[in-house]
């Protein structure tokens, strides 16, 4: 360390000039970083459900839908002005970027048809024939449209059950067929507002828009609010650091060096071809918070040395040599912990893992090297040593009071409380859920426009974006085979009776209705035809564009529309599918029939939830294995592993318990935040144990060693936790619920990690030392 210290400080000017040039270059690239969202980034592409999606995405309704509800605020929809507006909205949506034009559905679509028994025989025609245009609509034609729409079974799907509105349903493609580029979801969301909602919404018409593209757009719009609250937290942190250190220059260095690494991080992300996903907008602040945590440790030691009479250069050198190893070890632990997120095969989480890992790695340079080098140039201030020494005496007195926890009796009480808390936290963790716990999107407030629109559509229509599409694979011409159709019909009925299911669409369900039409609408005949000729007659009127079959009748999709996508609802519906496939005797007897989950929006969510659930435990195990290995390398003592890891274990399970209490589910947007917060908590234990270990090696008793360590490091640990917790607590009033929830969670995690490190770490150290004394302490005493 002495050699490294001499080499670094001898070249300090060259190193700082090089870092300054690098900062300028990265700053230019950082300004070019843009928000970047993608549907397939949110899904586990290797999951069997998603493989089904990729295999049949051109033949079956996809998961990436946009639903636009056009509402009449005065009367029903069977009016000239309303139908004219609906036609204009349909046309506008059809030609938006990324929309699969052949699959746009509304009452005006050519694929929206009705099958009727007329005096001329069975006829299948468009609900709104092509000869009718908005300019020539008459009242008689409107009445005919209404009758055909109702007879065609489109009530609840393309127009509301109470006739108050009509839907335009569009399916999106990840690659825009015109530009051959990946679809820009943020641009599409802006177009939906500028070209659909704003022009067509009026006193007579209300526009409601839901779907992934709109959700991401609303999330990105809320990002401006996110950065505003980042600003609040930044100002509060800066003021708090100054109040703690009582030096403008040292406070500036801690904040400045933490910000520089964020600039580098943004610049390198842009060079690597990444954007900033709306679901990852909290990560830069977390990386900044890690920098502040380490920066405070640096300036705390510098200030202590200066107050003891050292020069700026000597204080900087001592800080560099003392904190480079524990600081690097803490950051390496954070780095490995964050990189374990890469084990989750979801692109947005993997991008987040790269982003967080990159930011933490840069902290080694900015906070452990650049900060002490800059501090070495600080001018001498004769009054500062006296001012800080007076404040330091009061703080050390407070730390000595807290250090009483290292007395054997107090340590026993702390361990008892620790055991009770850990047991309760582990028990309560059983109640945690994977996925959303509330209807709508939990990243947005219930009163947000998106969630209000979602509730309105679900309330008045029999379909929503929360659809699960189950693909039933059959032999060729399965649609005219009675045994196959009967199996799919029973499966449809089975799913229709699952709690949380709004409605079910499938080919046999439609065939039943057409069978009755062939017999003058007599409901007694609304049954599944048994002969092949009757099946041909009833299914020939249903086109592949409906999504209920393909050209060769080798797939018969069953579309299950659900009330919501709450985790328990998804689990219940998926379990119902698996129960049918496992226990249905007819399915077991028929060869060539295979039921495959799970397309549609709910299928994607089910796959994502399953991947997160299966990846959660291995990821946490790897985090702890990494911590254990690094602690053993640094201290070569198994006691250090217990002392550093047990406080972290308690804080982790308390975080899970707190999430359960707040009603926050583990999902793509929340799991990384929990892991990042846990990583910050590791730093507290490392810094405290590192200082305590130095005094132990000097032969001091454990209680005295802990007291001295807490006098030097404890104040900085407590202050850092309080400052960061106070900063993120301001997020609770954010207009973005994701930020508000994560602010409360992070504030809790910062405090839980700090309290666990200060109280549980010495309690374990004292208890272990009573039963297995440290060999090198005895040797030093001799």
């Amino acid at each position: 360390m002495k050699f490294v210290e001499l080499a670094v400080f001898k070249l300090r000017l060259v190193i700082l000039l090089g870092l300054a040039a690098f900062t300028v270059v990265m700053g230019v690239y950082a300004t070019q970083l843009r928000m970047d969202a993608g549907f397939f980034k949110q899904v586990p592409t290797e999951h069997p459900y998603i493989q089904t999606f990729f295999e049949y995405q051109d033949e079956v309704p996809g998961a990436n839908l946009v639903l636009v509800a056009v509402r009449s605020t005065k009367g029903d929809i069977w009016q000239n002005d309303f139908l004219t507006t609906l036609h204009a909205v349909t046309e506008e949506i059809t030609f938006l970027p990324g929309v699969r034009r052949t699959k746009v559905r509304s009452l005006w679509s050519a694929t929206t048809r009705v099958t009727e028994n007329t005096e001329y025989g069975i006829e299948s025609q468009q609900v709104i024939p092509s000869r009718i245009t908005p300019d020539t609509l008459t009242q008689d034609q409107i009445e005919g449209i209404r009758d055909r729409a109702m007879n065609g079974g489109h009530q609840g799907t393309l127009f509301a059950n109470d006739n108050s509105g009509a839907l335009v349903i569009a399916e999106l493609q990840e690659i825009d067929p015109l530009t051959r580029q990946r679809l820009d979801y943020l641009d599409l969301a802006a177009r939906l507002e500028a070209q659909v909602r704003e022009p067509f919404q009026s006193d007579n018409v209300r526009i409601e828009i839901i779907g992934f593209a709109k959700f991401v757009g609303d999330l990105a719009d809320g990002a401006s609010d996110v950065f505003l609250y980042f600003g609040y937290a930044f100002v509060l942190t800066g003021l708090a650091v100054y109040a703690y250190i009582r030096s403008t220059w040292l406070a500036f260095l801690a904040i400045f060096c933490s910000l520089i690494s964020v600039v580098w991080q943004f610049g390198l992300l842009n060079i690597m071809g990444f954007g900033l996903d709306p679901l990852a907008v909290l990560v830069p602040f977390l990386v900044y918070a890690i920098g502040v945590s380490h920066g405070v440790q640096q300036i705390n030691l510098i200030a202590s040395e200066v107050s003891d009479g050292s020069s700026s250069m000597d204080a900087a050198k001592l800080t560099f040599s003392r904190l480079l190893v524990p600081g690097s070890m803490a950051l390496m632990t954070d780095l490995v912990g964050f990189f374990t997120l890469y084990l989750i095969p979801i692109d947005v989480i993997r991008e987040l893992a790269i982003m967080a890992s990159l930011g933490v790695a840069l902290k080694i340079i900015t906070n452990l090297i650049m900060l002490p080098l800059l501090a070495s140039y600080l001018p001498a201030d004769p009054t500062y040593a006296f001012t800080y020494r007076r404040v330091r005496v009061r703080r050390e007195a407070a730390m000595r009071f807290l250090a009483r926890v290292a007395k054997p009796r107090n340590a026993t009480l702390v361990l008892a409380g620790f055991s009770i808390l850990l047991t309760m936290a582990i028990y309560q963790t059983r109640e945690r859920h994977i996925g959303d716990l509330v209807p709508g999107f939990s990243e947005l407030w219930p009163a947000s426009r998106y969630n209000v629109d979602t509730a309105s559509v679900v309330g008045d229509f029999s379909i929503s974006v929360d659809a699960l599409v189950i693909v039933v694979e059959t032999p060729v011409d399965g649609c005219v085979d009675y045994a196959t159709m009967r199996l799919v019909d029973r499966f449809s009925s089975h799913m229709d009776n699952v709690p949380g299911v709004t409605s079910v669409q499938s080919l046999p369900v439609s065939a039943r209705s057409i069978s009755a039409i062939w017999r003058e609408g007599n409901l007694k005949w609304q049954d599944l035809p048994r002969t092949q000729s009757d099946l041909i007659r009833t299914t020939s009127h249903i086109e592949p564009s409906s999504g209920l079959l393909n050209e060769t009748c080798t797939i018969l999709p069953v579309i299950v529309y659900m009330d919501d996508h709450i985790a328990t609802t998804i689990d219940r519906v998926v379990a119902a599918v698996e129960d049918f496939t496992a226990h249905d005797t007819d399915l077991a007897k028929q060869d060539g029939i295979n039921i495959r989950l799970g397309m549609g929006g709910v299928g994607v969510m089910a796959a994502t939830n399953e991947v997160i659930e299966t990846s959660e435990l291995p990821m946490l195990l790897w985090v702890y294995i990494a911590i254990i290995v690094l602690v053993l390398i640094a201290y070569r003592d198994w006691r250090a592993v217990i002392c550093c890891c047990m406080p972290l274990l308690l804080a982790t399970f308390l975080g899970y318990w707190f999430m359960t209490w707040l009603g926050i589910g583990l999902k793509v947007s929340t799991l990384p935040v929990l892991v990042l917060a846990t990583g910050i908590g590791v730093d507290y234990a490392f810094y405290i144990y590192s200082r305590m270990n130095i005094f132990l090696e000097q032969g001091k008793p454990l209680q005295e060693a802990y007291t001295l360590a807490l006098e030097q490091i404890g104040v900085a640990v407590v202050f850092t936790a309080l400052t960061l917790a106070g900063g993120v607590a301001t997020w609770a009033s954010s207009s973005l619920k994701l930020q508000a929830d994560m602010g409360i969670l992070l504030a809790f995690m910062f405090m839980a990690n700090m309290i666990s490190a200060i109280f549980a770490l010495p309690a374990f150290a004292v208890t272990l030392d009573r039963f297995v004394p440290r060999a090198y302490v005895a040797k030093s005493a001799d």
Side-chain angles (χ1 to χ4, degrees):
M1 279 306 306
K2 193 66 179 175
F3 173 77
V4 173
E5 174 198 310
L6 290 172
V8 169
F9 278 84
K10 185 177 181 180
L11 299 173
R12 59 176 180 160
L13 183 59
V14 175
I15 293 173
L16 289 175
L17 288 175
L19 294 178
F22 184 71
T23 301
V24 172
V25 175
M26 289 301 101
V28 173
Y29 282 103
T31 59
Q32 301 170 8
L33 188 69
R34 295 290 180 264
M35 283 282 188
D36 178 42
F39 178 75
F40 288 128
K41 286 171 59 178
Q42 316 294 324
V43 302
T45 53
E46 300 170 8
H47 194 277
Y49 295 176
I50 308 304
Q51 294 299 313
T52 303
F53 173 84
F54 287 139
E55 186 173 346
Y56 294 113
Q57 61 180 328
D58 294 328
E59 299 177 287
V60 179
N64 197 2
L65 302 176
V66 172
L67 271 63
V68 178
V70 185
R71 297 282 197 165
S72 174
T73 58
K74 296 181 180 179
D76 59 29
I77 65 174
W78 310 114
Q79 306 172 52
N80 192 317
D81 290 344
F82 180 87
L83 290 175
T84 299
T85 301
L86 179 62
H87 178 272
V89 171
T90 304
E91 290 293 302
E92 194 66 48
I93 290 174
T94 301
F95 293 98
L96 285 175
V99 170
R100 197 185 295 267
R101 296 177 184 176
T102 58
K103 291 194 174 182
V104 174
R105 295 176 58 209
S106 82
L107 290 175
W108 282 97
S109 300
T111 55
T112 304
R113 307 182 70 83
V114 57
T115 302
E116 295 179 300
N117 192 339
T118 69
E119 61 268 28
Y120 303 107
I122 300 296
E123 288 188 351
S124 179
Q125 59 177 316
Q126 298 173 7
V127 168
I128 304 181
S130 54
R131 66 177 183 276
I132 297 178
T133 64
D135 299 330
T136 61
L137 269 177
T138 64
Q139 191 57 40
D140 289 342
Q141 290 175 331
I142 292 174
E143 291 177 2
I145 292 171
R146 179 190 60 200
D147 293 342
R148 286 190 293 273
M150 290 186 173
N151 292 337
H154 300 295
Q155 188 168 18
T157 55
L158 292 181
F159 68 96
N161 292 313
D162 60 357
N163 296 301
S164 64
L167 278 181
V168 181
I169 305 172
E171 185 175 334
L172 302 179
Q173 303 176 86
E174 190 70 9
I175 303 298
D176 189 333
L178 295 180
T179 63
R180 300 296 179 185
Q181 301 294 321
R182 195 157 64 86
L183 179 60
D184 187 340
Y185 283 90
L186 303 184
D187 175 68
L188 178 60
R191 288 174 182 265
L192 286 169
E193 288 292 331
Q195 297 176 216
V196 178
R197 197 193 301 268
E198 292 178 7
F200 297 110
Q201 186 155 286
S202 64
D203 294 337
N204 299 327
V205 174
R206 185 174 76 252
I207 303 294
E208 299 165 350
I209 308 173
I210 59 177
F212 173 78
K214 190 67 184 72
F215 160 69
V216 169
D218 287 0
L219 202 62
D221 290 341
S224 59
D225 203 21
V226 170
F227 291 118
L228 175 65
Y229 279 93
F230 282 175
Y232 292 157
F234 171 72
V235 172
L236 287 175
T237 303
L239 293 174
V241 172
Y242 173 76
Y244 169 75
I245 209 66
R246 305 298 174 90
S247 167
T248 304
W249 283 111
L250 287 176
F252 171 77
L253 284 182
I255 302 299
F256 174 75
C257 292
S258 300
L259 280 178
I260 288 297
S261 65
V262 176
V263 173
W264 292 2
Q265 179 188 23
F266 282 176
L268 290 173
L269 284 174
N270 188 27
I271 292 173
M272 294 165 65
F274 293 110
L276 184 61
D277 193 279
L279 291 176
V281 291
L282 301 181
V283 174
F285 179 80
L286 292 175
V287 172
Y288 165 76
I290 292 174
V292 171
S293 176
H294 288 274
V296 168
Q297 295 291 344
Q298 297 275 331
I299 62 174
N300 175 66
L301 188 53
I302 291 171
S304 297
E305 293 301 318
V306 170
S307 68
D308 288 339
S310 299
S311 65
S312 297
M313 174 65 82
D314 290 339
K317 287 182 176 181
L318 184 67
T319 299
F320 175 82
S321 59
R322 280 189 182 178
L323 297 185
L324 182 62
V325 172
S328 298
M329 188 181 68
L331 288 171
M332 286 299 295
T333 305
D334 296 343
L335 179 66
V336 175
F338 301 157
F339 201 75
T340 56
L341 287 169
Y342 201 84
L343 296 174
I344 302 178
I346 300 175
D347 285 348
V348 67
I349 293 183
R350 286 180 167 175
E351 285 186 14
L352 191 149
I354 294 172
M355 182 190 306
S357 301
L358 180 65
V360 170
L362 294 173
K363 295 295 177 191
I364 297 176
I365 301 174
T366 59
N367 287 81
L368 302 184
I369 298 176
M370 186 170 77
L371 192 154
L373 289 181
L374 289 172
S376 67
Y377 285 100
L378 292 181
D381 184 353
T383 63
Y384 177 71
F386 174 75
T387 302
Y388 187 75
R389 191 182 304 115
R390 186 176 56 185
V391 175
R392 177 181 160 193
V393 168
R394 293 197 299 268
R395 291 171 178 172
E396 288 177 352
M399 290 299 105
R400 283 193 293 273
F401 176 78
L402 292 179
R404 293 179 182 178
V405 70
K407 292 183 177 180
R409 179 176 176 274
N410 295 338
T412 303
L413 293 175
V414 169
L415 282 184
F418 177 94
S419 302
I420 294 171
L421 265 181
L422 182 61
T423 302
M424 292 175 61
I426 292 174
Y427 179 79
Q428 292 294 332
T429 299
R430 299 181 307 110
E431 302 298 324
R432 80 192 192 286
H433 288 282
I434 309 294
D436 282 312
L437 301 181
V438 295
F441 278 96
S442 58
E443 290 83 357
L444 305 173
W445 289 105
S448 66
R449 172 181 279 182
Y450 184 92
N451 282 336
V452 169
D453 286 355
T454 299
S456 177
V457 171
V458 171
D460 293 331
F461 293 84
S462 300
I463 66 172
S464 69
V465 290
D466 294 329
L468 174 64
V469 181
I470 302 112
V471 177
V472 182
E473 297 174 329
T474 71
V476 177
D477 293 334
C479 56
V480 294
D481 178 71
Y482 174 70
T484 300
M485 289 286 283
R486 179 174 174 272
L487 175 65
V488 178
D489 187 44
R490 285 193 305 100
F491 178 57
S492 302
S493 177
H494 172 77
M495 297 306 300
D496 201 20
N497 287 288
V498 176
V501 171
T502 303
S503 63
V504 175
Q505 288 185 353
S506 67
L507 185 64
V509 172
S510 298
R512 283 173 171 274
S513 300
I514 296 175
S515 177
I517 292 172
W518 272 91
R519 292 161 178 84
E520 299 180 354
N522 192 325
L523 295 180
K524 291 192 303 181
W525 291 96
Q526 197 172 32
D527 196 9
L528 190 65
R530 293 173 178 267
T531 65
Q532 189 176 61
S533 58
D534 282 344
L535 283 171
I536 292 173
R537 185 166 60 245
T538 54
T539 59
S540 61
H541 300 283
I542 303 172
E543 298 183 357
S545 59
S546 66
L548 301 180
L549 73 165
N550 63 353
E551 294 286 353
T552 57
C553 280
T554 53
I555 58 170
L556 302 178
V558 177
I559 306 173
V560 179
Y561 293 103
M562 296 162 53
D563 295 336
D564 51 58
H565 57 262
I566 295 176
T568 51
T569 306
I570 295 177
D571 292 343
R572 189 187 311 120
V573 173
V574 171
V577 176
E578 294 174 345
D579 178 69
F580 184 89
T581 56
H583 299 103
D584 188 81
T585 54
D586 289 347
L587 178 61
K589 294 176 182 177
Q590 292 183 247
D591 295 330
I593 297 181
N594 187 28
I595 296 178
R596 291 177 61 179
L597 284 160
M599 301 180 66
V602 171
V604 170
M605 293 178 193
T608 303
N609 292 349
E610 187 175 308
V611 166
I612 289 178
E613 185 172 16
T614 56
S615 302
E616 179 193 10
L617 180 58
M619 183 186 67
L620 286 176
L621 288 176
W622 278 113
V623 169
Y624 278 91
I625 288 172
I627 293 172
I628 290 170
V629 170
L630 287 170
V631 171
L632 285 174
I633 291 174
Y635 301 116
R636 300 178 181 86
D637 185 359
W638 60 269
R639 300 173 189 81
V641 173
I642 296 176
C643 292
C644 291
C645 290
M646 292 308 290
L648 179 63
L649 185 68
L650 174 62
T652 302
F653 279 102
L654 286 175
Y656 278 121
W657 185 4
F658 195 66
M659 287 181 69
T660 303
W661 182 70
L662 285 179
I664 302 173
L666 279 174
K667 51 188 298 187
V668 170
S669 58
T670 59
L671 178 61
V673 175
L674 183 66
V675 175
L676 292 170
T678 302
I680 295 175
V682 177
D683 301 346
Y684 302 150
F686 279 167
Y687 276 114
I688 292 175
Y689 191 87
S690 179
R691 295 304 301 156
M692 185 178 75
N693 195 58
I694 289 174
F695 293 118
L696 287 173
E697 289 179 340
Q698 294 173 2
K700 299 185 184 300
L702 197 147
Q703 184 179 343
E704 182 183 352
Y706 182 68
T707 302
L708 292 172
L710 216 57
E711 286 179 355
Q712 294 188 6
I713 299 294
V715 176
V717 168
V718 173
F719 165 79
T720 302
L722 289 172
T723 301
L724 294 178
V728 297
T730 62
W731 298 359
S733 58
S734 172
S735 62
L736 200 62
K737 189 173 183 294
L738 171 64
Q739 186 183 21
D741 288 343
M742 293 303 100
I744 297 171
L745 175 63
L746 284 171
F748 175 82
M749 290 293 291
F750 290 150
M751 295 301 295
N753 277 300
M754 180 267 290
I755 294 172
S756 295
I758 286 182
F759 289 97
L761 187 152
F764 276 101
V766 169
T767 303
L768 290 172
D769 203 51
R770 288 168 60 188
F771 295 101
V772 189
R774 297 165 183 265
Y776 64 78
V777 174
K779 182 177 180 181
S780 300
D782 291 340

